[in-house]
Amino acid sequence: MHLVFGLSADGRVYPEATVGLGAIDAAVVGPAGLVGVLEVQLGLLGPSASRAVRIASYLAKLRAAGHGRFWDASFEKDPWSTAATLLQWRDDLVAAGWHGKPVGARRIDDLAAVEDTGTTLPLGLVDRSVRLLNALPSRPGLRLKRLTLAEPRALLPPLWGRMLEALEAADVSVDQHEGSVPAVEGSDLRKVQRALAGEGREPLKGDGTFVIVDADTELMAAEVIADWLAAGSAEERTGTVVLAPEGDTALLDHVLRARGLPALGLSSASPWRGALQVLPLAFAAAWQPFDARVLLNLLMLPRPPISRWAAKRLARALSSEPGIGGAAWLNAWAGIEARLLEMHAELEPKDGRKKVDAVLAEWRTWTDVGRFDRSLGIPTVEAQAIAGRVAAWAMRADAGRNDRLLLAVAAAAGAVVDALNRLEQEVVPALLLERIVSQVLSEGVVNPDHVPEAGGIRAVRSPGALWSAASRVIWWGFVGPGERVSRDPWDRAELEALEAAGVELESSADAARRIGAGHTRVLQCSAEQLILVRPALSRDEQTTLHPLAHQLKPILEEAGEGVVFKAERVLREPDAAFAGRLLTRHSAETKDPPAGAAKWTLPAGAAGLMEGRRESATSLRRLFNCHFGWFAQDVLGLRPGRFAEIPGPDQLFGNLAHEIARRLLPPGPPPPTAGMRAAAAELFEILLPQISAPLLQPEYAGELSAARELVPAALESLVRLLHKRELEVVGSELEREGTHHDLALQGRLDLLVRRGPQVAVLDLKWTRSERRYREEIAEGHAVQLAVYRAISADAGAKGTGGYFLLRQRRILAGDGSILTDHPIEAKRADTETLDMVAGDWKRWRDLASSGVLVAAGFDDAVDHRPEGLEFEAPKEPCRFCDLTSLCRVQVETI
């Protein structure tokens, strides 16, 4: 067997595997790959453990080591981070030759005490490597016969230097690969190669063999690189390597596909892939107080843990009544059960019922939320059960298809179970559990749908992955900071003690030389052309210079035209010479986007959409605010894309008060005032987790505390008002319809009351200020109360309306109302306001029927308003509008 070994060769490399090695039994491997091959050949295979499992195990060992250690203060505040840091220190020491024994330095001796304490630490890559070092002398007969080094041997860390010595002792031939192929003599690329090798500097003439692309943005850089690749033939693209240190070529692939070129298929590993979020959300939903937003996020994932159609029903219920156990929630489950029964109707009734019950039981476990107090933590067995449920779901969802994302979810959940087991704790604190889950997911998963496509271009993630010569190299994202040198945590006395014990740590200077050599080796492996791409902005952040750029700066002095290419040139020049190719761009015919206008013309037939409509108070207010907005939202039914969101606190408090009033005020005489406050307070606590659970979150603690007093007091005050005014309850939350002249109306009445033949509507409001409602009544602009008058007709009697402000426990009503003895003096009666509403509605409707809409947000909108309108033009019509990009009132012109 022949292996090529490189420190960065675990993953994509160039050239791939056996290319140029002259043997079938050959491969290019990194540290993990080499260790894996040797373990197979020596029979040392064993279970591998994730970093999270090792940290959890080391945390238990640190705890078992007792007090009086140098990490005590940190461990008390954050045991997980402390264990993670100390484990890294320990692994670095083991890699340097430390055998876990005291060396006469307190901190290292404390770590030595941990080695012999508690259960055995699962092996990491370093431990496995050391195990191989110990096994190689006693186990001859390796199939590996030759090992070729991609990097200079002198630059390898001490661990791998010892590994090479052990392999040589086992009769493995170790040689050095000469990966560099000098560029053509006299070319710019050859001059740069010579300069970096210390052979003196020569001016660059700009022959296209060495080019730096400066771009304002990554998008512009991608456009230029894609144009350059497209300008070459298929043969010229063969042997081209794209080096993407960030490991993500999604943007570049997008523009490559637009030109008919194959995608490179590199994507960065992310912990935020949809299915991966099932694990943290499943745990987050288990805490008290129940967070409806967490469950909503779980249900709205691209792959929810229950069937998508069922998840959508539950999400709608949560959006309308965010809680568990309310009417909307129970109705949603009833609908799910009914559909499941329909889906299994072909089975025998008994078998169908049994199958449906099993599915419902499984799905309900995902909504069994709010079970554990965060301050007390969660029993380990319960946490493991949640993780086990996630793993089981992922495996069932995969169903043998080897879906990389679902398998990663199952592996992550299994790692959580293992880590929890190794903590050796009966109860896991909330913060520690979250740190475990975060650590397990930290490695993330690449985008499974972003794959490389067949073609002559290859992509690698790190400079070291380019282990041999490539014809053309494009260094995509040639920006800083590059690979960092980790800080050495040991002081001089500790280093001397380690050295005396035979422990050889890689110095920061040696690590810097190794990293720097990797950067320059990219240039030495570029045989014909090298293009360095450095955007000024990476996403929305300003970039910094790459460390290699500082070495190149003196070489670029007095460089000729073409050595540095400004990407934005292609936007101005039809033909731009770049890296030996001509980038040609043709002017494209453009059209100006639609301009914003106050007057919009409707197509023929649009007027028919208004036939048979019934208006509500809300739609009428929208009509009088903006004609265009009313037609778009109320006639056409356009809505912003908010399928499932949790209402704000004011709406939740209002919903809570409305439901309490509905339950405590049945039709008939009002209930006794005595005991009303206590009954309302009891209902408040019952309904709170059922329909307004978000109010239990800590950020609403102050408002919730006040509402616990205000809402029961408001209901008591309302009942007292009903008794004082001798009012009888007709009903609550009533759907009613009515007409006034040609205007057909509809609405829902919060509370309809009567006294003899007279009726009145009470609209319950949870508001911080009464000013708006008082002014509406005083100015005669209370559209809502006018509509209530038209739809509250009872036995032919037209009713009046008023607002009951829950927070202020106050009635606001106009003249002639049976609700108060202290009406607000209004400029006009409700009947006049209703006539105004009907008149203005007709004028606006007639204008729309003629094919004209008016967008109120434009300065000249007043010129297109119908004549004779009673309601004044609004001062800020667009303040709360979601459609400003549709009428283009807030879209900048180009």
Side-chain angles (χ1 to χ4, degrees):
M1 172 179 272
H2 179 193
L3 297 180
V4 174
F5 173 71
L7 293 175
S8 302
D10 284 320
R12 286 203 209 176
V13 294
Y14 185 88
E16 290 106 342
T18 61
V19 175
L21 297 183
I24 295 177
D25 196 12
V28 182
V29 296
L34 178 60
V35 169
V37 168
L38 294 177
E39 285 178 332
V40 169
Q41 295 187 14
L42 295 178
L44 294 176
L45 283 175
S48 60
S50 69
R51 177 161 175 77
V53 171
R54 297 187 72 236
I55 293 173
S57 182
Y58 204 64
L59 188 154
K61 290 172 72 68
L62 291 173
R63 186 188 297 112
H67 297 287
R69 308 295 181 180
F70 73 89
W71 56 74
D72 282 355
S74 298
F75 191 83
E76 182 180 355
K77 290 181 172 59
D78 189 351
W80 185 262
S81 294
T82 302
T85 299
L86 293 179
L87 178 60
Q88 185 61 56
W89 291 8
R90 177 261 179 203
D91 285 349
D92 290 343
L93 289 175
V94 172
W98 183 59
H99 299 293
K101 302 301 180 183
V103 298
R106 185 204 168 196
R107 293 198 298 171
I108 299 170
D109 292 351
D110 280 351
L111 291 178
V114 176
E115 292 295 299
D116 299 325
T117 303
T119 57
T120 303
L121 180 68
L123 300 182
L125 180 61
V126 167
D127 302 290
R128 293 161 58 200
S129 303
V130 172
R131 183 177 63 177
L132 286 172
L133 286 175
N134 296 330
L136 279 170
S138 60
R139 298 195 185 187
L142 285 175
R143 281 184 50 236
L144 177 62
K145 300 303 180 184
R146 182 183 173 193
L147 186 70
T148 299
L149 303 180
E151 291 102 346
R153 183 168 182 167
L155 294 177
L156 295 178
L159 172 63
W160 302 109
R162 299 198 307 275
M163 181 69 75
L164 297 181
E165 293 173 359
L167 289 172
E168 286 176 323
D171 296 327
V172 176
S173 172
V174 178
D175 57 57
Q176 184 69 54
H177 176 68
E178 297 298 334
S180 61
V181 175
V184 175
E185 285 295 336
S187 66
D188 285 352
L189 179 56
R190 183 56 183 153
K191 293 175 183 177
V192 173
Q193 290 172 343
R194 286 184 179 279
L196 290 176
E199 300 179 18
R201 297 197 300 267
E202 298 179 58
L204 306 184
K205 57 187 178 183
D207 62 5
T209 58
F210 176 82
V211 182
I212 296 177
V213 178
D214 279 338
D216 291 342
T217 64
E218 284 183 305
L219 178 58
M220 201 62 241
E223 290 278 339
V224 168
I225 294 301
D227 280 348
W228 184 80
L229 289 169
S233 64
E235 292 75 15
E236 289 173 321
R237 287 193 291 270
T238 301
T240 300
V241 177
V242 175
L243 168 60
E246 289 191 359
D248 195 334
T249 59
L251 177 61
L252 185 55
D253 285 346
H254 178 75
V255 293
L256 287 175
R257 284 197 183 102
R259 289 156 177 80
L261 297 178
L264 304 173
L266 280 183
S267 64
S268 55
S270 171
W272 305 110
R273 307 287 176 202
L276 285 178
Q277 293 308 298
V278 172
L279 185 61
L281 289 173
F283 281 111
W287 298 117
Q288 296 175 356
F290 160 59
D291 191 342
R293 291 168 296 190
V294 169
L295 183 55
L296 183 62
N297 289 338
L298 181 65
L299 295 170
M300 293 303 296
L301 286 173
R303 293 183 184 179
I306 66 176
S307 288
R308 193 184 304 276
W309 63 266
K312 285 184 177 180
R313 289 198 179 193
L314 294 177
R316 290 191 187 97
L318 274 179
S319 186
S320 62
E321 291 183 0
I324 301 295
W329 184 256
L330 297 177
N331 289 338
W333 275 113
I336 291 170
E337 182 177 0
R339 179 167 175 181
L340 285 173
L341 288 171
E342 291 177 9
M343 294 167 63
H344 296 89
E346 73 282 357
L347 300 177
E348 291 293 329
K350 184 177 180 180
D351 295 336
R353 181 75 254 179
K354 184 177 180 180
K355 190 161 183 122
V356 168
D357 288 345
V359 172
L360 288 174
E362 178 194 333
W363 287 358
R364 286 184 187 278
T365 60
W366 294 99
T367 60
D368 186 13
V369 295
R371 299 166 53 204
F372 306 104
D373 190 330
R374 281 188 64 91
S375 62
L376 301 177
I378 181 173
T380 298
V381 292
E382 295 287 355
Q384 289 176 319
I386 293 174
R389 185 169 73 238
V390 173
W393 163 77
M395 295 307 295
R396 282 197 308 273
D398 176 62
R401 292 188 295 267
N402 291 322
D403 185 301
R404 186 171 182 178
L405 190 54
L406 290 172
L407 293 179
V409 175
V416 170
V417 173
D418 195 359
L420 291 170
N421 188 52
R422 292 178 184 274
L423 284 177
E424 301 177 4
Q425 297 179 211
E426 292 186 2
V427 177
V428 184
L431 180 59
L432 180 56
L433 178 60
E434 289 166 356
R435 300 299 291 273
I436 293 173
V437 173
S438 177
Q439 181 68 52
V440 165
L441 297 178
S442 62
E443 295 180 4
V445 178
V446 299
N447 184 355
D449 297 324
H450 189 195
V451 296
E453 297 172 348
I457 311 172
R458 297 292 182 267
V460 295
R461 297 177 185 272
S462 65
L466 181 61
W467 65 273
S468 192
S471 300
R472 284 160 294 277
V473 176
I474 300 171
W475 194 325
W476 175 255
F478 180 65
V479 295
E483 184 180 351
R484 296 179 182 273
V485 177
S486 58
R487 287 189 61 185
D488 197 337
W490 312 113
D491 60 29
R492 180 174 298 179
E494 289 168 331
L495 290 174
E496 291 174 353
L498 287 169
E499 186 177 355
V503 178
E504 182 188 1
L505 287 165
E506 182 183 33
S507 67
S508 297
D510 288 341
R513 277 192 293 271
R514 172 170 50 79
I515 295 169
H519 296 156
T520 58
R521 195 160 48 251
V522 173
L523 279 76
Q524 304 299 345
C525 286
S526 303
E528 298 177 16
Q529 281 182 298
L530 174 65
I531 299 175
L532 305 177
V533 184
R534 54 184 191 191
L537 287 176
S538 178
R539 297 177 179 87
D540 60 346
E541 295 183 359
Q542 189 170 355
T543 61
T544 59
L545 286 176
H546 191 277
L548 183 58
H550 296 287
Q551 294 178 255
L552 293 174
K553 185 175 181 180
I555 303 174
L556 296 175
E557 292 177 359
E558 301 179 4
E561 184 179 354
V563 174
V564 177
F565 182 85
K566 183 64 178 173
E568 283 68 26
R569 280 178 53 189
V570 299
L571 300 177
R572 303 185 300 270
E573 304 174 17
D575 298 304
F578 167 56
R581 298 176 189 174
L582 191 64
L583 307 187
T584 301
R585 289 206 165 201
H586 304 284
S587 59
E589 182 182 353
T590 61
K591 294 183 178 180
D592 293 331
K599 182 178 178 181
W600 292 75
T601 303
L602 286 172
L609 298 173
M610 296 181 289
E611 295 297 329
R613 272 188 53 78
R614 283 189 177 274
E615 304 292 348
S616 65
T618 300
S619 69
L620 287 169
R621 280 199 297 261
R622 191 146 39 218
L623 171 63
F624 301 153
N625 181 68
C626 179
H627 192 213
F628 183 97
W630 164 78
F631 191 87
Q633 295 182 71
D634 294 286
V635 178
L636 297 181
L638 293 183
R639 291 290 184 272
R642 301 172 185 166
F643 165 67
E645 64 177 2
I646 300 299
D650 285 342
Q651 184 177 340
L652 292 176
F653 281 123
N655 293 348
L656 200 56
H658 277 73
E659 182 60 19
I660 294 173
R662 187 187 70 81
R663 296 194 182 193
L664 292 181
L665 299 175
T673 305
M676 177 54 59
R677 183 181 292 227
E682 182 181 359
L683 260 181
F684 187 99
E685 298 303 328
I686 293 173
L687 293 173
L688 183 60
Q690 294 181 359
I691 66 173
S692 298
L695 299 176
L696 292 166
Q697 295 303 307
E699 59 264 35
Y700 301 126
E703 294 176 82
L704 179 59
S705 177
R708 282 191 162 109
E709 295 293 328
L710 290 174
V711 171
L715 268 296
E716 182 185 52
S717 178
L718 177 58
V719 171
R720 187 178 292 113
L721 168 74
L722 297 178
H723 282 288
K724 179 180 179 181
R725 304 297 301 169
E726 298 180 349
L727 300 173
E728 180 181 324
V729 177
V730 177
S732 58
E733 301 297 327
L734 300 175
E735 298 284 352
R736 289 294 180 97
E737 295 180 353
T739 57
H740 186 73
H741 303 316
D742 295 332
L743 175 58
L745 296 165
Q746 65 180 3
R748 172 177 288 188
L749 308 181
D750 286 354
L751 189 64
L752 182 63
V753 297
R754 81 160 66 235
R755 186 172 66 193
Q758 295 178 295
V759 295
V761 177
L762 270 173
D763 192 50
L764 309 184
K765 297 291 186 184
W766 182 271
T767 181
R768 299 176 187 276
S769 172
E770 65 180 71
R771 178 180 174 182
R772 168 191 163 190
Y773 299 103
R774 183 177 290 278
E775 288 180 353
E776 277 187 0
I777 296 173
E779 296 295 326
H781 293 161
V783 174
Q784 189 168 8
L785 299 185
V787 170
Y788 286 165
R789 178 178 181 84
I791 64 176
S792 64
D794 191 79
K798 295 283 187 179
T800 59
Y803 300 119
F804 182 74
L805 308 183
L806 293 160
R807 291 174 71 104
Q808 295 80 5
R809 285 174 275 174
R810 186 172 299 149
I811 281 283
L812 299 182
D815 295 324
S817 174
I818 62 174
L819 299 174
T820 179
D821 287 331
H822 305 285
I824 297 173
E825 185 177 347
K827 290 183 178 180
R828 59 183 66 87
D830 284 350
T831 53
E832 296 178 67
T833 302
L834 189 55
D835 289 338
M836 286 172 53
V837 168
D840 278 13
W841 165 81
K842 186 176 187 306
R843 295 180 184 94
W844 282 116
R845 188 180 184 281
D846 290 345
L847 183 63
S849 298
S850 70
V852 174
L853 293 180
V854 179
F858 294 91
D859 293 338
D860 60 338
V862 65
D863 299 333
H864 304 286
R865 287 167 59 86
E867 294 183 0
L869 291 174
E870 299 284 355
F871 286 91
E872 296 179 357
K875 295 180 180 178
E876 296 180 280
C878 304
R879 184 176 179 185
F880 301 108
C881 182
D882 295 307
L883 302 179
T884 53
S885 60
L886 187 62
C887 71
R888 307 192 72 77
V889 69
Q890 291 183 0
V891 176
E892 296 182 5
T893 57
I894 300 176

